[in-house]
Every structure is written in C-alpha cells, then in structure tokens.
Amino acid sequence: MNIIEKNNFLFDNVTTLKGVGKQLSKYLKSKKIEKNNDLLWNLPYSFTDRSESVPLNKLEVGKILTIQIKVIKYNFPRIRNLPNKINCQDNTGKIDLVFFNSREGYLRKILPLNEWVVVSGKIAFYKNKYQITNPDYITNLNNVDYVKKVIPKYSLTEGLTEKSYRKLIEQILIRLPPVKEWHDNSFLKKMNFPSWKDSILAVHNGNTAKDFNSNAYRRLAFDELLSHLIVLSENRKRIKKFKKKSKKFKNSNSENILKTIDFELTNSQVKVIQEINIDLKSTNKMFRVLQGDVGSGKTIVSLIAAANVIESGYQCVLMAPTSILANQHYNLVKKIFEASSLKINISLLTGKTDYKSKNKILENLSNHKIDLIIGTPALFQKKIIFKKLGLTIIDEQHKFGVKQRIDLSTKGGDECDVLLMSATPIPRTMMLSLYGDMDISKITEKPLNRKKIITLSKPEEKINELWPLISKNIKNKNQIFWVCPLIEESKVFNYSSAVKKYEFIKKKFPNRVGLVHGQMSKDEKDLVLKNFLEKKIDILVSTTVIEVGIDFPNATIIIIENSNKFGLAQLHQLRGRVGRGKKQGMCILLYKKTLSKNSIKRIKILKLTNDGFIIAEEDLKLRGFGDLIGFQQSGVKNFKIADPVQHEDLFKIAEKRINEINDNLENYNEYNFLLKLFDKADIINEIKIN
C-alpha cells in the first residue's frame, strides 16, 4: 500500500472516527465538517495554557490551572436544580468541584471516592472556599501529561466541547504519515517551507495558533492557492480548446445604435467593445468577464455586442438575476433598437410570463423568429431550445463560481460566446483568484454626462435636519432610498430596523412610503419595487436588498443608517442606486457617536472618491478578504486558509509555478492528493469530462 492510499482515510466521512455518532456528526456538519480532512482546515484560533500546576494553597482566582486532588466526599442534593458538589483536597488545602446538569452515576465513575485525580479548569472562590464549576478535564494520574499542556482552542458550535473536538482532531493528526511531496526539494528550501505533515502538525499546535506568517501556515496557504490555480488553468485550457465559426459582421447594427443614443461612449467603453469584437470574430470561443463600476455603462456595451452577433446571423440571450431587472433591460433594449430602426425581434421571458405566451416564445426561439431573448436564469432550462444561439450575456452574476462557469460554457452550444457582467469592482489582488480562467475587460471611466454623487455624513442625533430636505425633494418629484441594516429591532445589536423606520416615516409622509426587505416573498418585493419605479411611492425604506441591479433614474437621495456597520464596497454599491439620471445624486451617511478608527476611515474614503476600484482596494486593506461583502457572502470566498491580503506574494509565486508546471507536465496526476485535500478533484474531473 503506497503513502497516498494510506491517507485515503482523510477523505472518509467523519462517522468513521471513534466517538462520532449520528448526533455529533450533525453538529460537525453545521460547521461544514463532513469528511475527515475538513477537520484539518478548522484551525485553532488561540490556545489554553493548562501546563501550570500548583498545590491548593497556591491557587489564583480567575486562572486556568491543572491540579492533582483526592476525592473526599459526595454531596448530591435531592432538591431539583441544585448543583452536585464533590469535596476534594490535597496535602495543603481543600476545593469543591461543582457540577450543573450532571448525573450522579457518571460523577461517581469519573471521581471515585478516596482516589487521586487530575482536574483542570478555571479557579473561582465562593463562600470562603475555592471551587471549579464544570471542570474542563477530569482524568486519572496516568493521563496527567495529556491535560497538563498548552491546548489549542478551536472555533466550535453547539454540541461540541473542547475535549470532544480534541479527541477527533488527534485521531487525524496521529495517523498522518509522510506524504509524497508535490514540490521539489529545491523549491521547499528556497521558500523555507516545512514538509506537508510537519506543516499540518505545526498549525494545530496551540503555541503557534493562527499565525498567517509562520512558514507552516504559508506552506499550506500556498498549497491551497496552487490547487485553486490548477483548476482555473485547466478550465482555461479546456475553454481554449473550443473551436467555433468566426462571426462575420460589418458593425452596421452597432453604428446605427451609436448614431441614435444621446451620449458619447467613453474611451474605456470603446476599448472594451474592440476586445469583444476581436473575440466574436475569432475561431476561439469567447469567455470574458466585463467588469465595470456602478453606472459605468456596461449595458450599452453588451447591447452593441448583441447587435453585432445578430447581424452575423445568430441569436442572443441576456439573463438578469430578477424579473424586474429583466423587464427594465427589455424596455431599454426595445427603446434603443426601435430608435435605431433595427429590425430585430426581441422577447421577454420571466416566471410571470403566462403559459400561452411562453409556449409561443419557445416556438419562436426554436425556429429563429426571435433574435434576442431577455429573461432570468430560467432561460437555461432544458426545454428552452435555440435555433442558432451565438451569444449569452449574464448580468450581475458575481455569484458564478468555476463550477457554474463550466456548466455555462457547455449549455450554450459550440457556437455560443459568453459574456459575464459584474458591477462589483474587484481589487487587483483578487482578479487572479476569481477569474483566472477567463479573459477580463474593465470599464474604468464613468459616462461624461454622469454627475459625481455628493456624499455627506451626519450624526444620527441630527436626523431631524433631514426632513426639510426630503420634503423639498418630494415636491420636486424626486425619490429617496432609506437603508437600514436590520429588518426587525434587535435586542443584541443597537442598529436601526427597516420595519420600525418604515412605520416612523409613514407617519410623516402618509401613503408615500414603501418597505422592502429580504424576508418578503419575491412577488411582494417586485410589487414594491415596481411601485417605486412607477413613482407611486416617493420613499423606499429597505435593507441592503436594493444594493445592485435595478436602475431608478428618478432616485436622487439615499440615506444609509448606521453606515459604520457596512463595508466600503457595500456602501459604494448602495450609493450607486442614486444619481443614475440627469439629476444630481446625494448620499447621506448617518452614524452613531462612537466610531471606530476603521469606520472613520471608511466614511472619509467614501466622501473623497466615487471610483469603485479605488474603494475596493481600500476596503480590502481595511477589512480583509474574508469579510468583503459580495465575496464571502455571495459564495465567491472559497478559500479554507489562504487569504489574498495576507498572502498576496504567494499568489504571484503560485501563478509563476503554474506556468512552470504547464510547461513540463501533460497532466496533474502527481497533484491528485493535493487537489483532493482542497476539494478540487471533482471539479478537475468535471473539466476533463466536458
């Protein structure tokens, strides 16, 4: 049996470990621990020092100590809810062990009368006597070395104790044999990396805890980055193998559009259109992400691409995340195409399309009577068949990971190019980790006619100063967003709730206020947003559900309560909901008196710049990768231990390493174990199949 086979136990279900039953496996699953190797990546965040041992006459209240004591007397009260108490002593003094919710039989078993035991826990003093309540460890004298040491502290969940979790992780660590290295010795020496096994043991050592800069941690972070880039590299190679017919067009459609729109394209938009056109005319399948800040003009770029593809004789599909956004795209596209006198057949298909109309649309799609279909991701259902699909455009799909991109590139057919659009500015340090398998286009300028949004900050106690401003804007037919971080009032967090604020503002402006939040049904949300879009309400109170997507050109003011509780990137996305028409936009950041240094920095940065890319870079520095809104919360944050902020240098080294590997290897067989460790093997297999 080779070394790799010996390590197969790492990929077994945790139920194969001693002590893991049905209930414990449920608790572990809530921590996303299902396989044995998942335990490896739940690293200790700190440690508990149980190494100090003293006689009872030297105890210190509040300290965690390990003591050796003799059990003298049991006190098991017959009155319900009173604790069990065990009197103990050594040659220098006395102490009580106090237990709540414990069984008498169990205590008699682990604390035999007149026997010496080892106990570890926090020392307390009650009624002139030392005591330990619910000790962390109780064992016999033979096991003193197991308890009397520095013990790692893990992030646990309900039903898991330090002691029970420690027993599980130790079963894994004790069975780790040396593995066959996937790095050559010269590279390990150059990077000062320990072996894989030594690295795992080191990061689970309580003394080192979670040290991002230790050689052991950096070794494992590098391994994860390498496994991630292997997947992206393989997917990129797979995409480049696709061959298609070159799309032939003379830009007639797109030139008609440019003649009729009432604004000039920015240099950045022109450059991106050229990049897309080169891809469309190529014999390689386009797989490109179009990144642009809020309001940078991505939609018009995608429409010009669609117009060119339609001119070449193909159909196009534009997918939006919600039906209301799909409707908005449909109305805009129809208006632009009709103004340009283009004879292009457009249809809209959402979950609200009636049965008869839907069947007619499906029939027209299959016989190419529709050139452009706009709708939600439901357009990718199997029963929807295109006659000649040439371009798929997906708007606001920042949740698309590698797995979804693999599916996407195959569903459209051999001749279908793919364009993803994202309004989430991504810092340079993260581009490789998220889109290493795709070509990237960036719109870095805002339209020339777009006014800079004025950003102000105001303490919450001055909220009454806002009512005259709001009244004036309502009289001028403008609309207002009011954003709160919570839906309902919270006893834990002192944040504003959307429901309470809605009730309050509704009294000031009767019949002119709407409410939308994440717990409402999709239909309920759509109705409120539709009413706001149609100007039936003037003020929309909401949580962050309005963060991206829908264009409300008549909204001029956004008020964000507890703005210090949001990240920079999220505040910028929220700010981008206003100032999208010809009128001046304004963002008012309300904050509480007590602000952290980071909160003050965030507000200052937001007031200084409207550039989403600069803001994303600053947010990354302030908050770190794991906390960035739109990444971790959307599922894109897919690293177990690596961090683009802490390990930026390792990204560059891993990228170089991948290029070296690609030059010398036909496949990644020697990296199979590494890929399995970081749950990449299945994705690689799917890439190979497709």
Side-chain angles (χ1 to χ4, degrees), residues 642-668:
D643 188 292
V645 178
Q646 301 287 343
H647 305 121
E648 183 179 352
D649 63 317
L650 296 182
F651 266 89
K652 295 171 184 175
I653 297 166
E655 185 179 18
K656 185 180 177 184
R657 191 76 175 156
I658 282 291
N659 293 332
E660 291 170 359
I661 291 167
N662 286 338
D663 290 341
N664 297 304
L665 283 183
E666 287 297 319
N667 54 55
Y668 293 97

PDB file of all heavy atoms in Angstrom, residues 642-668:
ATOM      1  N   ALA A 642      -6.110  30.177   2.853  1.00  0.00           N
ATOM      2  CA  ALA A 642      -5.371  31.234   2.152  1.00  0.00           C
ATOM      3  C   ALA A 642      -6.163  32.538   2.190  1.00  0.00           C
ATOM      4  O   ALA A 642      -7.385  32.534   2.263  1.00  0.00           O
ATOM      5  CB  ALA A 642      -5.106  30.816   0.710  1.00  0.00           C
ATOM      6  N   ASP A 643      -5.446  33.661   2.140  1.00  0.00           N
ATOM      7  CA  ASP A 643      -6.081  34.971   2.171  1.00  0.00           C
ATOM      8  C   ASP A 643      -5.330  35.912   1.237  1.00  0.00           C
ATOM      9  O   ASP A 643      -4.129  36.131   1.406  1.00  0.00           O
ATOM     10  CB  ASP A 643      -6.050  35.518   3.601  1.00  0.00           C
ATOM     11  CG  ASP A 643      -6.868  36.787   3.757  1.00  0.00           C
ATOM     12  OD1 ASP A 643      -6.466  37.815   3.185  1.00  0.00           O
ATOM     13  OD2 ASP A 643      -7.898  36.760   4.456  1.00  0.00           O
ATOM     14  N   PRO A 644      -6.028  36.480   0.227  1.00  0.00           N
ATOM     15  CA  PRO A 644      -5.356  37.347  -0.743  1.00  0.00           C
ATOM     16  C   PRO A 644      -4.689  38.572  -0.134  1.00  0.00           C
ATOM     17  O   PRO A 644      -3.804  39.153  -0.733  1.00  0.00           O
ATOM     18  CB  PRO A 644      -6.489  37.763  -1.688  1.00  0.00           C
ATOM     19  CG  PRO A 644      -7.477  36.667  -1.586  1.00  0.00           C
ATOM     20  CD  PRO A 644      -7.421  36.232  -0.153  1.00  0.00           C
ATOM     21  N   VAL A 645      -5.129  38.999   1.053  1.00  0.00           N
ATOM     22  CA  VAL A 645      -4.487  40.144   1.700  1.00  0.00           C
ATOM     23  C   VAL A 645      -3.199  39.705   2.385  1.00  0.00           C
ATOM     24  O   VAL A 645      -2.128  40.258   2.170  1.00  0.00           O
ATOM     25  CB  VAL A 645      -5.435  40.799   2.728  1.00  0.00           C
ATOM     26  CG1 VAL A 645      -4.742  41.951   3.441  1.00  0.00           C
ATOM     27  CG2 VAL A 645      -6.693  41.293   2.043  1.00  0.00           C
ATOM     28  N   GLN A 646      -3.320  38.663   3.219  1.00  0.00           N
ATOM     29  CA  GLN A 646      -2.159  38.190   3.969  1.00  0.00           C
ATOM     30  C   GLN A 646      -1.117  37.519   3.079  1.00  0.00           C
ATOM     31  O   GLN A 646       0.068  37.532   3.382  1.00  0.00           O
ATOM     32  CB  GLN A 646      -2.620  37.184   5.049  1.00  0.00           C
ATOM     33  CG  GLN A 646      -3.616  37.733   6.039  1.00  0.00           C
ATOM     34  CD  GLN A 646      -2.989  38.695   7.028  1.00  0.00           C
ATOM     35  OE1 GLN A 646      -1.777  38.728   7.179  1.00  0.00           O
ATOM     36  NE2 GLN A 646      -3.821  39.494   7.690  1.00  0.00           N
ATOM     37  N   HIS A 647      -1.568  36.922   1.972  1.00  0.00           N
ATOM     38  CA  HIS A 647      -0.675  36.101   1.154  1.00  0.00           C
ATOM     39  C   HIS A 647      -0.588  36.578  -0.292  1.00  0.00           C
ATOM     40  O   HIS A 647      -0.497  35.777  -1.211  1.00  0.00           O
ATOM     41  CB  HIS A 647      -1.150  34.636   1.200  1.00  0.00           C
ATOM     42  CG  HIS A 647      -1.268  34.095   2.585  1.00  0.00           C
ATOM     43  ND1 HIS A 647      -2.453  33.604   3.104  1.00  0.00           N
ATOM     44  CD2 HIS A 647      -0.359  33.995   3.583  1.00  0.00           C
ATOM     45  CE1 HIS A 647      -2.260  33.217   4.348  1.00  0.00           C
ATOM     46  NE2 HIS A 647      -1.007  33.450   4.673  1.00  0.00           N
ATOM     47  N   GLU A 648      -0.609  37.902  -0.453  1.00  0.00           N
ATOM     48  CA  GLU A 648      -0.557  38.464  -1.806  1.00  0.00           C
ATOM     49  C   GLU A 648       0.683  37.995  -2.560  1.00  0.00           C
ATOM     50  O   GLU A 648       0.630  37.682  -3.751  1.00  0.00           O
ATOM     51  CB  GLU A 648      -0.575  39.992  -1.730  1.00  0.00           C
ATOM     52  CG  GLU A 648      -0.606  40.668  -3.096  1.00  0.00           C
ATOM     53  CD  GLU A 648      -0.648  42.182  -2.988  1.00  0.00           C
ATOM     54  OE1 GLU A 648      -0.813  42.700  -1.856  1.00  0.00           O
ATOM     55  OE2 GLU A 648      -0.511  42.842  -4.026  1.00  0.00           O
ATOM     56  N   ASP A 649       1.831  37.926  -1.864  1.00  0.00           N
ATOM     57  CA  ASP A 649       3.071  37.499  -2.527  1.00  0.00           C
ATOM     58  C   ASP A 649       2.992  36.049  -2.995  1.00  0.00           C
ATOM     59  O   ASP A 649       3.550  35.681  -4.027  1.00  0.00           O
ATOM     60  CB  ASP A 649       4.271  37.683  -1.600  1.00  0.00           C
ATOM     61  CG  ASP A 649       4.170  36.823  -0.342  1.00  0.00           C
ATOM     62  OD1 ASP A 649       3.062  36.747   0.252  1.00  0.00           O
ATOM     63  OD2 ASP A 649       5.188  36.217   0.052  1.00  0.00           O
ATOM     64  N   LEU A 650       2.263  35.214  -2.236  1.00  0.00           N
ATOM     65  CA  LEU A 650       2.148  33.796  -2.598  1.00  0.00           C
ATOM     66  C   LEU A 650       1.325  33.615  -3.873  1.00  0.00           C
ATOM     67  O   LEU A 650       1.546  32.660  -4.620  1.00  0.00           O
ATOM     68  CB  LEU A 650       1.517  33.002  -1.446  1.00  0.00           C
ATOM     69  CG  LEU A 650       2.323  32.936  -0.143  1.00  0.00           C
ATOM     70  CD1 LEU A 650       1.599  32.073   0.881  1.00  0.00           C
ATOM     71  CD2 LEU A 650       3.727  32.395  -0.384  1.00  0.00           C
ATOM     72  N   PHE A 651       0.354  34.510  -4.114  1.00  0.00           N
ATOM     73  CA  PHE A 651      -0.428  34.451  -5.357  1.00  0.00           C
ATOM     74  C   PHE A 651       0.495  34.557  -6.563  1.00  0.00           C
ATOM     75  O   PHE A 651       0.387  33.797  -7.524  1.00  0.00           O
ATOM     76  CB  PHE A 651      -1.449  35.593  -5.398  1.00  0.00           C
ATOM     77  CG  PHE A 651      -2.802  35.214  -4.882  1.00  0.00           C
ATOM     78  CD1 PHE A 651      -3.106  35.337  -3.541  1.00  0.00           C
ATOM     79  CD2 PHE A 651      -3.770  34.724  -5.736  1.00  0.00           C
ATOM     80  CE1 PHE A 651      -4.351  34.988  -3.061  1.00  0.00           C
ATOM     81  CE2 PHE A 651      -5.026  34.378  -5.262  1.00  0.00           C
ATOM     82  CZ  PHE A 651      -5.310  34.505  -3.925  1.00  0.00           C
ATOM     83  N   LYS A 652       1.402  35.523  -6.504  1.00  0.00           N
ATOM     84  CA  LYS A 652       2.308  35.755  -7.634  1.00  0.00           C
ATOM     85  C   LYS A 652       3.245  34.572  -7.835  1.00  0.00           C
ATOM     86  O   LYS A 652       3.521  34.154  -8.964  1.00  0.00           O
ATOM     87  CB  LYS A 652       3.096  37.043  -7.397  1.00  0.00           C
ATOM     88  CG  LYS A 652       2.219  38.289  -7.383  1.00  0.00           C
ATOM     89  CD  LYS A 652       2.981  39.517  -6.924  1.00  0.00           C
ATOM     90  CE  LYS A 652       2.050  40.718  -6.828  1.00  0.00           C
ATOM     91  NZ  LYS A 652       2.716  41.908  -6.262  1.00  0.00           N
ATOM     92  N   ILE A 653       3.740  34.013  -6.726  1.00  0.00           N
ATOM     93  CA  ILE A 653       4.634  32.854  -6.821  1.00  0.00           C
ATOM     94  C   ILE A 653       3.872  31.649  -7.361  1.00  0.00           C
ATOM     95  O   ILE A 653       4.388  30.896  -8.188  1.00  0.00           O
ATOM     96  CB  ILE A 653       5.249  32.541  -5.431  1.00  0.00           C
ATOM     97  CG1 ILE A 653       6.104  33.721  -4.963  1.00  0.00           C
ATOM     98  CG2 ILE A 653       6.093  31.269  -5.486  1.00  0.00           C
ATOM     99  CD1 ILE A 653       6.486  33.663  -3.489  1.00  0.00           C
ATOM    100  N   ALA A 654       2.625  31.462  -6.904  1.00  0.00           N
ATOM    101  CA  ALA A 654       1.808  30.335  -7.371  1.00  0.00           C
ATOM    102  C   ALA A 654       1.507  30.458  -8.861  1.00  0.00           C
ATOM    103  O   ALA A 654       1.510  29.463  -9.593  1.00  0.00           O
ATOM    104  CB  ALA A 654       0.508  30.261  -6.567  1.00  0.00           C
ATOM    105  N   GLU A 655       1.248  31.696  -9.320  1.00  0.00           N
ATOM    106  CA  GLU A 655       0.978  31.914 -10.740  1.00  0.00           C
ATOM    107  C   GLU A 655       2.198  31.523 -11.579  1.00  0.00           C
ATOM    108  O   GLU A 655       2.080  30.863 -12.618  1.00  0.00           O
ATOM    109  CB  GLU A 655       0.619  33.375 -10.982  1.00  0.00           C
ATOM    110  CG  GLU A 655       0.204  33.667 -12.420  1.00  0.00           C
ATOM    111  CD  GLU A 655      -0.166  35.114 -12.644  1.00  0.00           C
ATOM    112  OE1 GLU A 655       0.212  35.970 -11.813  1.00  0.00           O
ATOM    113  OE2 GLU A 655      -0.832  35.407 -13.650  1.00  0.00           O
ATOM    114  N   LYS A 656       3.380  31.922 -11.118  1.00  0.00           N
ATOM    115  CA  LYS A 656       4.626  31.569 -11.817  1.00  0.00           C
ATOM    116  C   LYS A 656       4.829  30.062 -11.802  1.00  0.00           C
ATOM    117  O   LYS A 656       5.234  29.450 -12.788  1.00  0.00           O
ATOM    118  CB  LYS A 656       5.802  32.275 -11.139  1.00  0.00           C
ATOM    119  CG  LYS A 656       7.137  32.076 -11.856  1.00  0.00           C
ATOM    120  CD  LYS A 656       8.256  32.812 -11.125  1.00  0.00           C
ATOM    121  CE  LYS A 656       9.593  32.528 -11.809  1.00  0.00           C
ATOM    122  NZ  LYS A 656      10.721  33.151 -11.060  1.00  0.00           N
ATOM    123  N   ARG A 657       4.521  29.455 -10.661  1.00  0.00           N
ATOM    124  CA  ARG A 657       4.682  27.998 -10.505  1.00  0.00           C
ATOM    125  C   ARG A 657       3.769  27.242 -11.472  1.00  0.00           C
ATOM    126  O   ARG A 657       4.160  26.224 -12.045  1.00  0.00           O
ATOM    127  CB  ARG A 657       4.354  27.614  -9.061  1.00  0.00           C
ATOM    128  CG  ARG A 657       4.720  26.197  -8.671  1.00  0.00           C
ATOM    129  CD  ARG A 657       6.186  26.062  -8.446  1.00  0.00           C
ATOM    130  NE  ARG A 657       6.530  24.731  -7.946  1.00  0.00           N
ATOM    131  CZ  ARG A 657       7.711  24.175  -8.091  1.00  0.00           C
ATOM    132  NH1 ARG A 657       8.674  24.814  -8.727  1.00  0.00           N
ATOM    133  NH2 ARG A 657       7.956  22.979  -7.606  1.00  0.00           N
ATOM    134  N   ILE A 658       2.534  27.742 -11.627  1.00  0.00           N
ATOM    135  CA  ILE A 658       1.581  27.110 -12.547  1.00  0.00           C
ATOM    136  C   ILE A 658       2.127  27.121 -13.964  1.00  0.00           C
ATOM    137  O   ILE A 658       2.024  26.133 -14.701  1.00  0.00           O
ATOM    138  CB  ILE A 658       0.214  27.833 -12.494  1.00  0.00           C
ATOM    139  CG1 ILE A 658      -0.560  27.408 -11.258  1.00  0.00           C
ATOM    140  CG2 ILE A 658      -0.629  27.557 -13.738  1.00  0.00           C
ATOM    141  CD1 ILE A 658      -1.056  25.981 -11.278  1.00  0.00           C
ATOM    142  N   ASN A 659       2.713  28.231 -14.368  1.00  0.00           N
ATOM    143  CA  ASN A 659       3.290  28.323 -15.718  1.00  0.00           C
ATOM    144  C   ASN A 659       4.423  27.320 -15.907  1.00  0.00           C
ATOM    145  O   ASN A 659       4.560  26.707 -16.967  1.00  0.00           O
ATOM    146  CB  ASN A 659       3.788  29.749 -15.978  1.00  0.00           C
ATOM    147  CG  ASN A 659       2.650  30.745 -16.051  1.00  0.00           C
ATOM    148  OD1 ASN A 659       1.536  30.388 -16.423  1.00  0.00           O
ATOM    149  ND2 ASN A 659       2.903  31.992 -15.689  1.00  0.00           N
ATOM    150  N   GLU A 660       5.221  27.134 -14.866  1.00  0.00           N
ATOM    151  CA  GLU A 660       6.313  26.156 -14.932  1.00  0.00           C
ATOM    152  C   GLU A 660       5.757  24.735 -15.033  1.00  0.00           C
ATOM    153  O   GLU A 660       6.252  23.915 -15.800  1.00  0.00           O
ATOM    154  CB  GLU A 660       7.201  26.276 -13.686  1.00  0.00           C
ATOM    155  CG  GLU A 660       8.009  27.562 -13.627  1.00  0.00           C
ATOM    156  CD  GLU A 660       8.679  27.761 -12.267  1.00  0.00           C
ATOM    157  OE1 GLU A 660       8.480  26.902 -11.373  1.00  0.00           O
ATOM    158  OE2 GLU A 660       9.384  28.776 -12.097  1.00  0.00           O
ATOM    159  N   ILE A 661       4.717  24.470 -14.251  1.00  0.00           N
ATOM    160  CA  ILE A 661       4.091  23.143 -14.279  1.00  0.00           C
ATOM    161  C   ILE A 661       3.501  22.870 -15.661  1.00  0.00           C
ATOM    162  O   ILE A 661       3.675  21.787 -16.224  1.00  0.00           O
ATOM    163  CB  ILE A 661       2.987  23.045 -13.195  1.00  0.00           C
ATOM    164  CG1 ILE A 661       3.613  23.057 -11.799  1.00  0.00           C
ATOM    165  CG2 ILE A 661       2.149  21.784 -13.378  1.00  0.00           C
ATOM    166  CD1 ILE A 661       2.609  23.268 -10.683  1.00  0.00           C
ATOM    167  N   ASN A 662       2.808  23.865 -16.229  1.00  0.00           N
ATOM    168  CA  ASN A 662       2.189  23.691 -17.550  1.00  0.00           C
ATOM    169  C   ASN A 662       3.222  23.425 -18.635  1.00  0.00           C
ATOM    170  O   ASN A 662       2.950  22.741 -19.617  1.00  0.00           O
ATOM    171  CB  ASN A 662       1.375  24.935 -17.909  1.00  0.00           C
ATOM    172  CG  ASN A 662       0.074  25.014 -17.127  1.00  0.00           C
ATOM    173  OD1 ASN A 662      -0.420  23.997 -16.634  1.00  0.00           O
ATOM    174  ND2 ASN A 662      -0.473  26.205 -16.995  1.00  0.00           N
ATOM    175  N   ASP A 663       4.423  23.963 -18.462  1.00  0.00           N
ATOM    176  CA  ASP A 663       5.479  23.765 -19.459  1.00  0.00           C
ATOM    177  C   ASP A 663       6.080  22.362 -19.386  1.00  0.00           C
ATOM    178  O   ASP A 663       6.651  21.873 -20.358  1.00  0.00           O
ATOM    179  CB  ASP A 663       6.604  24.794 -19.259  1.00  0.00           C
ATOM    180  CG  ASP A 663       6.157  26.200 -19.644  1.00  0.00           C
ATOM    181  OD1 ASP A 663       5.156  26.312 -20.385  1.00  0.00           O
ATOM    182  OD2 ASP A 663       6.797  27.162 -19.194  1.00  0.00           O
ATOM    183  N   ASN A 664       5.952  21.715 -18.219  1.00  0.00           N
ATOM    184  CA  ASN A 664       6.649  20.443 -18.015  1.00  0.00           C
ATOM    185  C   ASN A 664       5.748  19.230 -17.831  1.00  0.00           C
ATOM    186  O   ASN A 664       6.220  18.109 -17.771  1.00  0.00           O
ATOM    187  CB  ASN A 664       7.564  20.555 -16.784  1.00  0.00           C
ATOM    188  CG  ASN A 664       8.645  21.599 -16.969  1.00  0.00           C
ATOM    189  OD1 ASN A 664       9.406  21.533 -17.924  1.00  0.00           O
ATOM    190  ND2 ASN A 664       8.702  22.578 -16.085  1.00  0.00           N
ATOM    191  N   LEU A 665       4.442  19.458 -17.711  1.00  0.00           N
ATOM    192  CA  LEU A 665       3.542  18.335 -17.428  1.00  0.00           C
ATOM    193  C   LEU A 665       2.409  18.245 -18.441  1.00  0.00           C
ATOM    194  O   LEU A 665       1.918  19.253 -18.931  1.00  0.00           O
ATOM    195  CB  LEU A 665       2.910  18.505 -16.045  1.00  0.00           C
ATOM    196  CG  LEU A 665       3.767  18.173 -14.820  1.00  0.00           C
ATOM    197  CD1 LEU A 665       2.919  18.344 -13.584  1.00  0.00           C
ATOM    198  CD2 LEU A 665       4.335  16.778 -14.859  1.00  0.00           C
ATOM    199  N   GLU A 666       2.021  17.018 -18.744  1.00  0.00           N
ATOM    200  CA  GLU A 666       0.851  16.802 -19.600  1.00  0.00           C
ATOM    201  C   GLU A 666      -0.425  16.827 -18.765  1.00  0.00           C
ATOM    202  O   GLU A 666      -1.477  17.194 -19.230  1.00  0.00           O
ATOM    203  CB  GLU A 666       0.977  15.442 -20.320  1.00  0.00           C
ATOM    204  CG  GLU A 666       2.014  15.428 -21.435  1.00  0.00           C
ATOM    205  CD  GLU A 666       1.679  16.393 -22.562  1.00  0.00           C
ATOM    206  OE1 GLU A 666       0.507  16.485 -22.941  1.00  0.00           O
ATOM    207  OE2 GLU A 666       2.596  17.088 -23.033  1.00  0.00           O
ATOM    208  N   ASN A 667      -0.298  16.383 -17.520  1.00  0.00           N
ATOM    209  CA  ASN A 667      -1.468  16.399 -16.638  1.00  0.00           C
ATOM    210  C   ASN A 667      -1.006  16.649 -15.206  1.00  0.00           C
ATOM    211  O   ASN A 667       0.171  16.870 -14.950  1.00  0.00           O
ATOM    212  CB  ASN A 667      -2.240  15.072 -16.726  1.00  0.00           C
ATOM    213  CG  ASN A 667      -1.332  13.887 -16.456  1.00  0.00           C
ATOM    214  OD1 ASN A 667      -0.673  13.832 -15.425  1.00  0.00           O
ATOM    215  ND2 ASN A 667      -1.291  12.929 -17.383  1.00  0.00           N
ATOM    216  N   TYR A 668      -1.970  16.606 -14.284  1.00  0.00           N
ATOM    217  CA  TYR A 668      -1.668  16.954 -12.898  1.00  0.00           C
ATOM    218  C   TYR A 668      -1.757  15.735 -11.973  1.00  0.00           C
ATOM    219  O   TYR A 668      -2.101  15.869 -10.809  1.00  0.00           O
ATOM    220  CB  TYR A 668      -2.644  18.037 -12.425  1.00  0.00           C
ATOM    221  CG  TYR A 668      -2.469  19.361 -13.132  1.00  0.00           C
ATOM    222  CD1 TYR A 668      -3.270  19.710 -14.212  1.00  0.00           C
ATOM    223  CD2 TYR A 668      -1.495  20.253 -12.716  1.00  0.00           C
ATOM    224  CE1 TYR A 668      -3.102  20.927 -14.856  1.00  0.00           C
ATOM    225  CE2 TYR A 668      -1.325  21.472 -13.349  1.00  0.00           C
ATOM    226  CZ  TYR A 668      -2.128  21.806 -14.416  1.00  0.00           C
ATOM    227  OH  TYR A 668      -1.953  23.007 -15.053  1.00  0.00           O
TER     228      TYR A 668
END
